[in-house]
Amino acid sequence: AKYKFDTNTRFRPFVFAGPAVGVKVSAKVGTVQRQNARNRFGAFDLSADAGLGVDFAVSEIINLSLNGAYNFGLLDIASDAQSAALGGNALRTQGINIYASASWKL
């Protein structure tokens, strides 16, 4: 869901929230010797995103946008073996995302 505030200017702030789905592409652990950790984590993640941003109308057909979001994982992404190694504690994703974009009307 996204709500834009009408400011009667070229700037339109907005807030948004909703679900997000993540799919594991790879998994590496370590800083010097990066080891493959593909089997330690689940194949996908479901999370909740919430954020805010601003649209800027460059012209009637071009908009620039900048926004940031907080992402909180809802699922335990640890495999059964990894969960046992963590003492049964859940392993959830968290992140802060910053986006910049440009859009235009066709």
Side-chain angles (χ1 to χ4, degrees):
K2 183 176 185 179
Y3 179 79
K4 290 185 178 183
F5 299 94
D6 191 8
T7 61
N8 293 322
T9 68
R10 291 178 163 229
F11 290 95
R12 291 195 66 191
F14 58 85
V15 294
F16 62 93
V21 176
V23 178
K24 177 178 62 179
V25 175
S26 71
K28 305 280 185 190
V29 176
T31 55
V32 177
Q33 294 180 341
R34 295 183 55 106
Q35 300 173 350
N36 188 354
R38 189 160 181 84
N39 295 330
R40 294 185 186 183
F41 307 103
F44 72 97
D45 186 26
L46 177 65
S47 60
D49 285 4
L52 51 93
V54 64
D55 283 337
F56 174 69
V58 176
S59 68
E60 287 187 24
I61 62 169
I62 299 174
N63 283 326
L64 300 178
S65 180
L66 179 65
N67 62 71
Y70 175 73
N71 174 282
F72 179 78
L74 302 173
L75 300 179
D76 181 1
I77 63 166
S79 66
D80 291 339
Q82 184 68 27
S83 183
L86 294 171
N89 293 320
L91 184 61
R92 291 187 170 82
T93 58
Q94 290 185 37
I96 295 174
N97 304 308
I98 298 172
Y99 306 98
S101 62
S103 61
W104 54 92
K105 295 179 186 175
L106 297 176

Coordinates of all heavy atoms in Angstrom, one line a residue:
A1 N 0.8 -1.2 0.0 CA 0.0 0.0 0.0 C 0.9 1.2 0.0 O 1.9 1.2 0.6 CB -0.9 0.0 1.2
K2 N 0.5 2.3 -0.7 CA 1.2 3.5 -0.8 C 0.3 4.7 -0.7 O -0.8 4.7 -1.4 CB 2.0 3.5 -2.1 CG 2.9 4.7 -2.3 CD 3.7 4.6 -3.6 CE 4.7 5.7 -3.9 NZ 5.4 5.5 -5.1
Y3 N 0.6 5.7 0.1 CA -0.2 6.9 0.2 C 0.7 8.1 -0.1 O 1.7 8.3 0.6 CB -0.8 7.0 1.6 CG -1.6 8.3 1.8 CD1 -2.9 8.3 1.3 CD2 -1.1 9.4 2.4 CE1 -3.6 9.5 1.4 CE2 -1.8 10.5 2.5 CZ -3.1 10.6 2.0 OH -3.8 11.7 2.1
K4 N 0.3 8.9 -1.1 CA 1.0 10.1 -1.4 C 0.3 11.3 -0.8 O -0.9 11.4 -0.9 CB 1.1 10.2 -2.9 CG 2.0 9.2 -3.6 CD 2.1 9.5 -5.1 CE 3.1 8.6 -5.8 NZ 3.2 8.9 -7.2
F5 N 1.1 12.2 -0.2 CA 0.5 13.4 0.3 C 0.5 14.5 -0.8 O 1.5 14.7 -1.5 CB 1.4 13.9 1.5 CG 1.4 12.9 2.6 CD1 2.4 12.0 2.7 CD2 0.4 12.9 3.6 CE1 2.5 11.1 3.7 CE2 0.4 12.0 4.6 CZ 1.5 11.1 4.7
D6 N -0.6 15.2 -0.9 CA -0.7 16.2 -1.9 C -0.2 17.5 -1.3 O -0.8 18.1 -0.4 CB -2.2 16.4 -2.4 CG -2.3 17.2 -3.6 OD1 -1.3 17.6 -4.2 OD2 -3.5 17.5 -4.0
T7 N 0.8 18.1 -1.9 CA 1.4 19.3 -1.4 C 1.3 20.5 -2.4 O 1.7 21.6 -2.1 CB 2.9 19.1 -1.2 OG1 3.6 18.8 -2.4 CG2 3.2 18.0 -0.1
N8 N 0.7 20.2 -3.5 CA 0.5 21.3 -4.6 C 1.9 21.8 -5.0 O 1.9 23.0 -5.4 CB -0.4 22.4 -4.1 CG -1.9 21.9 -4.0 OD1 -2.3 21.0 -4.8 ND2 -2.5 22.3 -3.0
T9 N 2.9 21.0 -4.9 CA 4.2 21.4 -5.4 C 4.8 20.3 -6.2 O 4.1 19.3 -6.5 CB 5.2 21.7 -4.2 OG1 5.5 20.5 -3.5 CG2 4.6 22.7 -3.2
R10 N 6.0 20.5 -6.7 CA 6.7 19.4 -7.5 C 7.1 18.2 -6.6 O 7.4 17.1 -7.1 CB 7.9 19.9 -8.2 CG 7.6 20.9 -9.3 CD 8.8 21.4 -9.9 NE 8.5 22.0 -11.2 CZ 9.2 21.7 -12.3 NH1 10.2 21.0 -12.3 NH2 8.8 22.3 -13.4
F11 N 7.2 18.4 -5.3 CA 7.5 17.4 -4.3 C 6.3 16.7 -3.7 O 5.4 17.4 -3.3 CB 8.4 17.9 -3.2 CG 9.7 18.4 -3.6 CD1 10.0 19.7 -3.9 CD2 10.8 17.4 -3.6 CE1 11.3 20.1 -4.3 CE2 12.0 17.8 -4.0 CZ 12.3 19.1 -4.4
R12 N 6.2 15.4 -3.8 CA 5.1 14.7 -3.2 C 5.6 13.6 -2.3 O 6.1 12.5 -2.7 CB 4.2 14.0 -4.3 CG 3.5 15.1 -5.1 CD 2.4 14.5 -5.9 NE 1.3 14.0 -5.0 CZ 0.4 13.2 -5.5 NH1 0.3 12.9 -6.8 NH2 -0.6 12.8 -4.7
P13 N 5.6 13.8 -1.0 CA 6.1 12.8 0.0 C 5.1 11.6 0.0 O 3.9 11.8 -0.3 CB 6.2 13.5 1.3 CG 5.4 14.7 1.1 CD 5.3 15.0 -0.3
F14 N 5.6 10.5 0.4 CA 4.7 9.3 0.5 C 5.2 8.3 1.6 O 6.3 8.4 2.0 CB 4.5 8.6 -0.9 CG 5.8 8.1 -1.4 CD1 6.4 6.9 -1.1 CD2 6.5 8.9 -2.4 CE1 7.5 6.4 -1.6 CE2 7.7 8.4 -2.9 CZ 8.2 7.2 -2.6
V15 N 4.3 7.5 2.0 CA 4.6 6.4 2.9 C 4.1 5.1 2.3 O 3.1 5.1 1.5 CB 4.0 6.6 4.3 CG1 4.6 7.8 5.0 CG2 2.5 6.7 4.3
F16 N 4.7 4.0 2.6 CA 4.3 2.7 2.1 C 4.5 1.6 3.0 O 5.4 1.7 3.9 CB 4.9 2.5 0.7 CG 6.4 2.4 0.8 CD1 7.0 1.1 0.9 CD2 7.2 3.5 0.7 CE1 8.4 1.0 1.0 CE2 8.6 3.4 0.7 CZ 9.2 2.2 0.9
A17 N 3.8 0.5 2.9 CA 4.0 -0.7 3.7 C 3.4 -1.9 2.9 O 2.5 -1.7 2.2 CB 3.3 -0.5 5.0
G18 N 4.0 -3.0 3.2 CA 3.5 -4.2 2.5 C 4.4 -5.4 2.7 O 5.5 -5.3 3.2
P19 N 4.0 -6.5 2.1 CA 4.8 -7.7 2.2 C 5.9 -7.7 1.1 O 5.8 -7.0 0.1 CB 3.8 -8.8 1.9 CG 2.7 -8.2 1.0 CD 2.7 -6.8 1.5
A20 N 6.9 -8.5 1.3 CA 7.9 -8.8 0.3 C 8.3 -10.2 0.4 O 8.3 -10.8 1.5 CB 9.1 -7.9 0.6
V21 N 8.7 -10.8 -0.8 CA 9.1 -12.2 -0.8 C 10.6 -12.2 -1.3 O 10.9 -11.5 -2.3 CB 8.2 -13.0 -1.8 CG1 8.8 -14.4 -2.0 CG2 6.8 -13.0 -1.3
G22 N 11.4 -12.9 -0.6 CA 12.8 -13.0 -1.0 C 13.1 -14.5 -1.4 O 12.6 -15.4 -0.8
V23 N 13.9 -14.7 -2.4 CA 14.4 -16.0 -2.9 C 15.9 -16.1 -2.8 O 16.6 -15.2 -3.2 CB 13.9 -16.3 -4.3 CG1 14.4 -17.6 -4.8 CG2 12.4 -16.1 -4.5
K24 N 16.3 -17.2 -2.1 CA 17.8 -17.3 -1.9 C 18.5 -17.6 -3.3 O 18.1 -18.5 -4.0 CB 18.0 -18.5 -1.0 CG 19.5 -18.8 -0.8 CD 19.8 -19.9 0.2 CE 19.2 -21.2 -0.3 NZ 19.4 -22.3 0.6
V25 N 19.5 -16.8 -3.6 CA 20.3 -17.0 -4.8 C 21.6 -17.7 -4.4 O 22.0 -18.6 -5.1 CB 20.5 -15.7 -5.5 CG1 21.5 -15.9 -6.7 CG2 19.2 -15.0 -5.9
S26 N 22.2 -17.2 -3.3 CA 23.4 -17.9 -2.8 C 23.5 -17.6 -1.3 O 22.8 -16.7 -0.8 CB 24.7 -17.4 -3.6 OG 24.9 -16.1 -3.2
A27 N 24.5 -18.2 -0.7 CA 24.7 -18.0 0.8 C 26.1 -18.3 1.1 O 26.6 -19.4 0.8 CB 23.8 -18.9 1.6
K28 N 26.9 -17.3 1.6 CA 28.3 -17.4 1.9 C 28.5 -17.0 3.3 O 27.8 -16.0 3.8 CB 29.2 -16.6 1.0 CG 29.0 -16.8 -0.5 CD 29.7 -18.1 -0.9 CE 29.6 -18.2 -2.4 NZ 30.1 -19.4 -2.9
V29 N 29.4 -17.6 4.1 CA 29.6 -17.3 5.4 C 31.1 -17.1 5.6 O 31.9 -17.8 5.0 CB 29.2 -18.4 6.4 CG1 29.5 -18.1 7.8 CG2 27.7 -18.6 6.3
G30 N 31.5 -16.1 6.3 CA 32.9 -15.8 6.6 C 33.4 -14.5 6.0 O 32.8 -14.0 5.2
T31 N 34.6 -14.1 6.5 CA 35.2 -12.8 6.0 C 36.4 -13.1 5.1 O 36.5 -12.5 4.1 CB 35.5 -11.9 7.1 OG1 36.4 -12.6 8.0 CG2 34.3 -11.5 7.9
V32 N 37.2 -14.0 5.5 CA 38.5 -14.3 4.7 C 38.2 -15.5 3.8 O 38.3 -15.4 2.6 CB 39.7 -14.5 5.6 CG1 40.9 -14.9 4.8 CG2 39.9 -13.3 6.5
Q33 N 37.9 -16.6 4.4 CA 37.6 -17.8 3.6 C 36.1 -18.0 3.5 O 35.5 -18.5 4.4 CB 38.2 -19.0 4.2 CG 39.7 -19.0 4.2 CD 40.3 -20.3 4.9 OE1 39.6 -21.0 5.6 NE2 41.5 -20.6 4.6
R34 N 35.5 -17.5 2.5 CA 34.0 -17.5 2.3 C 33.6 -18.9 2.0 O 33.9 -19.4 0.9 CB 33.6 -16.5 1.3 CG 33.9 -15.1 1.8 CD 33.4 -14.0 0.8 NE 32.0 -14.2 0.5 CZ 31.1 -13.3 1.0 NH1 31.4 -12.3 1.7 NH2 29.8 -13.5 0.7
Q35 N 32.9 -19.5 2.9 CA 32.4 -20.9 2.7 C 31.0 -20.9 2.2 O 30.2 -20.1 2.6 CB 32.5 -21.6 4.1 CG 33.9 -21.7 4.6 CD 33.9 -22.3 6.0 OE1 32.9 -22.5 6.6 NE2 35.1 -22.6 6.5
N36 N 30.7 -21.9 1.4 CA 29.3 -22.0 0.9 C 28.4 -22.4 2.0 O 28.7 -23.4 2.7 CB 29.3 -23.1 -0.2 CG 28.0 -23.2 -0.9 OD1 27.0 -22.5 -0.5 ND2 27.9 -24.0 -1.9
A37 N 27.4 -21.7 2.3 CA 26.4 -22.0 3.3 C 25.0 -22.2 2.8 O 24.1 -22.0 3.5 CB 26.5 -20.9 4.4
R38 N 24.9 -22.6 1.6 CA 23.6 -22.8 0.9 C 22.7 -23.7 1.7 O 21.5 -23.4 1.7 CB 23.8 -23.3 -0.5 CG 22.6 -23.3 -1.3 CD 22.9 -23.4 -2.8 NE 21.7 -23.3 -3.6 CZ 21.1 -22.2 -4.0 NH1 21.6 -21.0 -3.6 NH2 20.1 -22.2 -4.7
N39 N 23.1 -24.7 2.3 CA 22.3 -25.7 3.0 C 21.9 -25.2 4.4 O 21.1 -25.8 5.1 CB 22.9 -27.0 3.1 CG 23.0 -27.7 1.7 OD1 22.3 -27.4 0.8 ND2 24.1 -28.5 1.5
R40 N 22.4 -24.1 4.9 CA 22.1 -23.6 6.2 C 20.9 -22.8 6.3 O 20.4 -22.5 7.4 CB 23.3 -22.7 6.8 CG 24.6 -23.5 7.0 CD 25.6 -22.6 7.6 NE 26.9 -23.2 7.7 CZ 27.9 -22.7 8.3 NH1 27.8 -21.5 8.8 NH2 29.1 -23.3 8.3
F41 N 20.4 -22.3 5.2 CA 19.3 -21.4 5.1 C 18.1 -21.9 4.2 O 18.4 -22.6 3.3 CB 19.7 -20.0 4.7 CG 20.9 -19.5 5.5 CD1 22.2 -19.5 4.9 CD2 20.7 -19.0 6.8 CE1 23.2 -19.0 5.7 CE2 21.8 -18.6 7.5 CZ 23.1 -18.6 6.9
G42 N 16.9 -21.5 4.5 CA 15.8 -21.8 3.7 C 15.8 -21.2 2.3 O 16.6 -20.3 2.0
A43 N 15.0 -21.7 1.4 CA 15.0 -21.3 0.0 C 14.3 -19.9 -0.2 O 14.6 -19.2 -1.2 CB 14.3 -22.3 -0.8
F44 N 13.4 -19.5 0.7 CA 12.7 -18.2 0.5 C 12.4 -17.6 1.8 O 12.5 -18.2 2.9 CB 11.5 -18.4 -0.4 CG 10.3 -19.1 0.3 CD1 9.3 -18.3 0.9 CD2 10.2 -20.4 0.4 CE1 8.3 -18.9 1.5 CE2 9.2 -21.1 1.0 CZ 8.2 -20.3 1.6
D45 N 12.0 -16.3 1.8 CA 11.7 -15.5 3.0 C 10.5 -14.7 2.7 O 10.3 -14.2 1.6 CB 12.9 -14.6 3.4 CG 12.8 -13.9 4.7 OD1 12.0 -14.4 5.5 OD2 13.4 -12.8 4.8
L46 N 9.7 -14.5 3.7 CA 8.6 -13.6 3.6 C 8.8 -12.5 4.7 O 9.2 -12.8 5.8 CB 7.3 -14.3 4.0 CG 6.0 -13.5 4.0 CD1 5.7 -12.9 2.6 CD2 4.8 -14.3 4.5
S47 N 8.7 -11.3 4.3 CA 9.0 -10.2 5.2 C 8.0 -9.1 5.0 O 7.2 -9.0 4.1 CB 10.4 -9.6 4.9 OG 10.5 -9.1 3.6
A48 N 8.0 -8.1 6.0 CA 7.2 -6.9 6.0 C 8.1 -5.7 5.8 O 9.1 -5.6 6.4 CB 6.4 -6.8 7.3
D49 N 7.7 -4.9 4.8 CA 8.4 -3.6 4.5 C 7.6 -2.4 4.9 O 6.4 -2.4 4.7 CB 8.7 -3.5 3.0 CG 9.8 -4.5 2.6 OD1 10.3 -5.2 3.4 OD2 10.2 -4.4 1.4
A50 N 8.2 -1.4 5.4 CA 7.6 -0.1 5.7 C 8.6 1.0 5.4 O 9.8 0.8 5.7 CB 7.1 0.0 7.1
G51 N 8.1 2.1 4.8 CA 9.1 3.1 4.5 C 8.4 4.4 4.1 O 7.2 4.6 4.2
L52 N 9.3 5.4 3.7 CA 8.8 6.7 3.3 C 9.7 7.2 2.2 O 10.8 6.7 2.0 CB 8.8 7.7 4.4 CG 10.0 7.8 5.3 CD1 10.9 8.9 4.8 CD2 9.6 8.1 6.7
G53 N 9.2 8.2 1.4 CA 10.0 8.7 0.3 C 9.4 10.0 -0.2 O 8.4 10.5 0.3
V54 N 9.9 10.4 -1.3 CA 9.5 11.6 -2.0 C 9.6 11.4 -3.5 O 10.6 10.9 -4.0 CB 10.2 12.9 -1.5 CG1 11.7 12.8 -1.8 CG2 9.6 14.1 -2.0
D55 N 8.6 11.9 -4.2 CA 8.6 12.0 -5.7 C 8.9 13.4 -6.0 O 8.3 14.4 -5.4 CB 7.3 11.6 -6.3 CG 7.1 10.1 -6.3 OD1 8.1 9.3 -6.3 OD2 5.9 9.6 -6.4
F56 N 9.6 13.7 -7.1 CA 9.9 15.0 -7.6 C 9.6 15.0 -9.1 O 10.1 14.3 -9.9 CB 11.4 15.4 -7.4 CG 11.7 16.7 -8.0 CD1 11.2 17.9 -7.5 CD2 12.6 16.8 -9.1 CE1 11.5 19.1 -8.0 CE2 12.9 18.0 -9.7 CZ 12.4 19.2 -9.1
A57 N 8.6 15.9 -9.5 CA 8.2 16.0 -10.9 C 9.2 16.9 -11.6 O 9.2 18.1 -11.4 CB 6.8 16.6 -10.9
V58 N 10.1 16.3 -12.4 CA 11.0 17.1 -13.2 C 10.3 17.8 -14.3 O 10.6 18.9 -14.6 CB 12.1 16.1 -13.8 CG1 13.0 16.9 -14.7 CG2 12.9 15.4 -12.7
S59 N 9.3 17.1 -14.9 CA 8.5 17.7 -16.0 C 7.1 17.0 -15.9 O 6.9 16.2 -15.0 CB 9.1 17.5 -17.4 OG 9.1 16.1 -17.7
E60 N 6.2 17.2 -16.9 CA 4.9 16.6 -16.8 C 5.0 15.1 -17.0 O 4.1 14.4 -16.6 CB 4.0 17.2 -17.9 CG 3.6 18.6 -17.5 CD 2.5 19.2 -18.5 OE1 1.9 18.3 -19.2 OE2 2.4 20.4 -18.7
I61 N 6.1 14.6 -17.7 CA 6.1 13.2 -17.9 C 7.3 12.5 -17.2 O 7.3 11.3 -17.2 CB 6.3 12.9 -19.5 CG1 7.6 13.6 -20.0 CG2 5.1 13.4 -20.2 CD1 7.9 13.2 -21.4
I62 N 8.2 13.2 -16.5 CA 9.3 12.6 -15.9 C 9.3 12.8 -14.4 O 9.1 14.0 -13.9 CB 10.7 13.1 -16.4 CG1 10.8 12.7 -17.9 CG2 11.8 12.5 -15.7 CD1 12.0 13.3 -18.6
N63 N 9.4 11.8 -13.6 CA 9.4 11.8 -12.1 C 10.7 11.2 -11.6 O 11.1 10.1 -12.1 CB 8.2 11.1 -11.5 CG 7.0 11.9 -11.5 OD1 7.0 13.2 -11.4 ND2 5.9 11.2 -11.7
L64 N 11.3 11.8 -10.6 CA 12.4 11.2 -9.9 C 11.9 10.8 -8.5 O 11.0 11.5 -7.9 CB 13.6 12.1 -9.7 CG 14.2 12.6 -11.0 CD1 15.4 13.5 -10.7 CD2 14.8 11.4 -11.8
S65 N 12.4 9.7 -7.9 CA 11.9 9.2 -6.6 C 13.1 8.8 -5.8 O 14.0 8.2 -6.3 CB 10.9 8.1 -6.8 OG 10.4 7.6 -5.6
L66 N 13.0 9.1 -4.5 CA 14.0 8.6 -3.5 C 13.2 8.1 -2.3 O 12.3 8.8 -1.8 CB 14.9 9.7 -3.1 CG 16.0 9.4 -2.1 CD1 17.0 8.4 -2.6 CD2 16.7 10.6 -1.6
N67 N 13.5 6.9 -1.9 CA 12.8 6.4 -0.7 C 13.6 5.4 0.1 O 14.6 4.9 -0.4 CB 11.4 5.8 -1.1 CG 11.5 4.6 -2.0 OD1 12.0 3.5 -1.6 ND2 11.1 4.8 -3.3
G68 N 13.3 5.2 1.3 CA 13.9 4.3 2.2 C 12.9 3.4 2.9 O 11.8 3.8 3.1
A69 N 13.4 2.2 3.2 CA 12.4 1.2 3.8 C 13.2 0.4 4.9 O 14.4 0.1 4.8 CB 11.8 0.3 2.8
Y70 N 12.4 -0.1 5.9 CA 12.9 -1.0 6.8 C 12.2 -2.4 6.5 O 11.0 -2.4 6.2 CB 12.5 -0.6 8.3 CG 12.9 -1.6 9.3 CD1 14.2 -1.9 9.6 CD2 11.9 -2.4 9.9 CE1 14.6 -2.8 10.5 CE2 12.3 -3.4 10.8 CZ 13.6 -3.6 11.2 OH 14.0 -4.5 12.1
N71 N 13.0 -3.4 6.5 CA 12.5 -4.8 6.1 C 12.7 -5.7 7.3 O 13.8 -5.7 7.9 CB 13.3 -5.2 4.9 CG 13.0 -6.6 4.5 OD1 13.5 -7.6 5.2 ND2 12.3 -6.8 3.5
F72 N 11.7 -6.4 7.7 CA 11.7 -7.3 8.9 C 11.2 -8.7 8.4 O 10.1 -8.8 8.0 CB 10.9 -6.8 10.0 CG 11.0 -7.7 11.2 CD1 12.1 -7.8 12.0 CD2 9.9 -8.6 11.5 CE1 12.1 -8.7 13.1 CE2 9.9 -9.5 12.6 CZ 11.1 -9.5 13.4
G73 N 12.1 -9.7 8.5 CA 11.7 -11.1 8.1 C 10.7 -11.7 9.1 O 10.8 -11.6 10.3
L74 N 9.7 -12.3 8.5 CA 8.6 -12.9 9.3 C 8.9 -14.4 9.5 O 8.3 -15.0 10.4 CB 7.3 -12.7 8.6 CG 6.9 -11.3 8.4 CD1 5.6 -11.2 7.6 CD2 6.7 -10.5 9.7
L75 N 9.7 -15.1 8.6 CA 9.9 -16.5 8.7 C 11.3 -16.8 9.3 O 12.2 -16.0 9.1 CB 9.9 -17.1 7.3 CG 8.6 -17.0 6.5 CD1 8.7 -17.6 5.2 CD2 7.4 -17.6 7.3
D76 N 11.4 -17.9 9.9 CA 12.7 -18.4 10.4 C 13.4 -19.0 9.2 O 12.9 -20.0 8.6 CB 12.5 -19.5 11.5 CG 13.8 -20.0 12.1 OD1 14.9 -19.6 11.6 OD2 13.7 -20.9 12.9
I77 N 14.5 -18.4 8.8 CA 15.2 -18.9 7.5 C 16.2 -20.0 7.8 O 16.9 -20.4 6.9 CB 15.8 -17.7 6.7 CG1 16.9 -17.0 7.6 CG2 14.7 -16.8 6.3 CD1 17.7 -16.1 6.7
A78 N 16.5 -20.3 9.1 CA 17.5 -21.4 9.4 C 17.0 -22.7 9.0 O 15.8 -23.1 9.2 CB 17.8 -21.3 10.9
S79 N 17.8 -23.6 8.4 CA 17.5 -25.0 8.2 C 17.4 -25.7 9.5 O 17.8 -25.1 10.6 CB 18.6 -25.6 7.3 OG 19.8 -25.7 8.1
D80 N 16.9 -26.9 9.5 CA 16.8 -27.6 10.8 C 18.1 -27.8 11.5 O 18.2 -27.6 12.7 CB 16.2 -29.0 10.5 CG 14.7 -28.9 10.1 OD1 14.1 -27.9 10.4 OD2 14.2 -29.9 9.5
A81 N 19.2 -28.1 10.7 CA 20.5 -28.3 11.3 C 21.0 -27.0 11.8 O 21.6 -26.9 12.9 CB 21.5 -28.9 10.2
Q82 N 20.8 -25.9 11.1 CA 21.3 -24.6 11.5 C 20.5 -24.1 12.8 O 21.1 -23.6 13.7 CB 21.1 -23.5 10.4 CG 21.7 -22.2 10.8 CD 23.2 -22.1 10.9 OE1 23.9 -22.9 10.3 NE2 23.7 -21.3 11.7
S83 N 19.2 -24.4 12.8 CA 18.4 -24.1 14.0 C 18.9 -24.8 15.2 O 19.0 -24.2 16.3 CB 17.0 -24.4 13.7 OG 16.2 -24.0 14.8
A84 N 19.3 -26.1 15.1 CA 19.8 -26.8 16.2 C 21.2 -26.2 16.7 O 21.4 -26.1 17.9 CB 20.0 -28.3 15.8
A85 N 22.0 -25.8 15.7 CA 23.3 -25.2 16.1 C 23.1 -23.8 16.8 O 23.9 -23.4 17.6 CB 24.1 -24.9 14.8
L86 N 21.9 -23.2 16.5 CA 21.6 -21.9 17.2 C 20.8 -22.1 18.5 O 20.4 -21.2 19.1 CB 20.8 -21.0 16.3 CG 21.5 -20.5 15.0 CD1 20.4 -19.9 14.1 CD2 22.5 -19.5 15.4
G87 N 20.7 -23.4 18.9 CA 20.0 -23.7 20.2 C 18.5 -23.5 20.1 O 17.8 -23.2 21.0
G88 N 18.0 -23.7 18.8 CA 16.6 -23.6 18.6 C 16.1 -22.1 18.4 O 14.9 -21.9 18.3
N89 N 17.0 -21.2 18.4 CA 16.6 -19.8 18.2 C 16.3 -19.5 16.8 O 16.9 -20.1 15.9 CB 17.7 -18.8 18.7 CG 17.9 -18.9 20.2 OD1 17.0 -18.9 20.9 ND2 19.2 -18.9 20.6
A90 N 15.4 -18.6 16.5 CA 15.0 -18.3 15.1 C 16.0 -17.4 14.5 O 16.7 -16.6 15.2 CB 13.6 -17.6 15.1
L91 N 16.1 -17.5 13.2 CA 17.0 -16.7 12.4 C 16.2 -15.9 11.4 O 15.6 -16.5 10.5 CB 18.1 -17.5 11.7 CG 19.2 -16.8 10.9 CD1 20.0 -15.9 11.9 CD2 20.1 -17.8 10.3
R92 N 16.1 -14.6 11.6 CA 15.2 -13.8 10.7 C 16.0 -12.7 10.1 O 17.0 -12.2 10.7 CB 14.1 -13.2 11.5 CG 13.1 -14.2 12.0 CD 11.8 -13.5 12.6 NE 10.8 -14.5 12.8 CZ 10.7 -15.3 13.9 NH1 11.7 -15.3 14.8 NH2 9.7 -16.2 14.0
T93 N 15.7 -12.3 8.9 CA 16.3 -11.2 8.2 C 15.8 -9.8 8.6 O 14.7 -9.7 9.1 CB 16.1 -11.3 6.6 OG1 14.7 -11.3 6.4 CG2 16.7 -12.6 6.1
Q94 N 16.7 -8.9 8.5 CA 16.4 -7.5 8.8 C 17.2 -6.6 7.8 O 18.4 -7.0 7.5 CB 16.7 -7.0 10.2 CG 15.8 -7.6 11.3 CD 16.2 -7.1 12.6 OE1 16.5 -5.9 12.8 NE2 16.1 -7.9 13.6
G95 N 16.7 -5.5 7.4 CA 17.5 -4.7 6.5 C 16.9 -3.3 6.4 O 15.8 -3.0 6.7
I96 N 17.8 -2.4 6.0 CA 17.4 -1.0 5.6 C 17.7 -0.9 4.1 O 18.9 -1.1 3.7 CB 18.1 0.0 6.5 CG1 17.7 -0.1 7.9 CG2 17.8 1.4 5.9 CD1 18.5 0.8 8.9
N97 N 16.8 -0.5 3.3 CA 16.9 -0.3 1.9 C 16.7 1.1 1.5 O 15.9 1.8 2.0 CB 15.9 -1.2 1.2 CG 16.0 -2.6 1.6 OD1 17.0 -3.2 1.5 ND2 14.8 -3.2 1.9
I98 N 17.6 1.6 0.6 CA 17.4 2.9 0.0 C 17.3 2.8 -1.5 O 18.1 2.1 -2.1 CB 18.6 3.8 0.4 CG1 18.7 4.0 1.9 CG2 18.5 5.2 -0.3 CD1 19.9 4.7 2.4
Y99 N 16.3 3.4 -2.1 CA 16.1 3.3 -3.5 C 16.0 4.7 -4.2 O 15.5 5.6 -3.6 CB 14.7 2.6 -3.8 CG 14.5 1.3 -3.1 CD1 13.8 1.2 -1.9 CD2 14.9 0.2 -3.7 CE1 13.5 0.0 -1.3 CE2 14.7 -1.1 -3.1 CZ 14.0 -1.1 -1.9 OH 13.8 -2.3 -1.3
A100 N 16.5 4.8 -5.4 CA 16.4 5.9 -6.2 C 15.9 5.4 -7.6 O 16.3 4.4 -8.1 CB 17.7 6.7 -6.4
S101 N 14.9 6.2 -8.1 CA 14.4 5.7 -9.4 C 13.9 6.9 -10.3 O 13.7 8.0 -9.8 CB 13.2 4.8 -9.2 OG 12.1 5.4 -8.5
A102 N 13.7 6.6 -11.5 CA 13.2 7.6 -12.5 C 12.0 6.9 -13.2 O 12.1 5.7 -13.5 CB 14.2 8.0 -13.4
S103 N 10.9 7.6 -13.4 CA 9.8 7.1 -14.2 C 9.3 8.1 -15.2 O 9.5 9.3 -15.0 CB 8.7 6.6 -13.2 OG 8.2 7.7 -12.5
W104 N 8.7 7.7 -16.2 CA 8.1 8.6 -17.2 C 6.9 8.0 -17.8 O 6.7 6.8 -17.9 CB 9.1 8.9 -18.3 CG 9.7 7.7 -19.0 CD1 9.3 7.1 -20.1 CD2 10.8 6.9 -18.5 NE1 10.0 6.0 -20.4 CE2 11.0 5.9 -19.4 CE3 11.7 7.0 -17.4 CZ2 12.0 4.9 -19.3 CZ3 12.7 6.1 -17.3 CH2 12.9 5.1 -18.2
K105 N 6.0 8.8 -18.3 CA 4.7 8.4 -18.9 C 5.0 8.2 -20.4 O 5.7 8.9 -21.0 CB 3.7 9.5 -18.7 CG 3.3 9.7 -17.3 CD 2.2 10.8 -17.2 CE 2.0 11.2 -15.8 NZ 1.1 12.3 -15.6
L106 N 4.4 7.1 -20.9 CA 4.6 6.8 -22.3 C 3.4 7.4 -23.1 O 2.4 7.6 -22.7 CB 4.6 5.3 -22.5 CG 5.8 4.6 -21.8 CD1 5.7 3.1 -22.0 CD2 7.1 5.1 -22.4

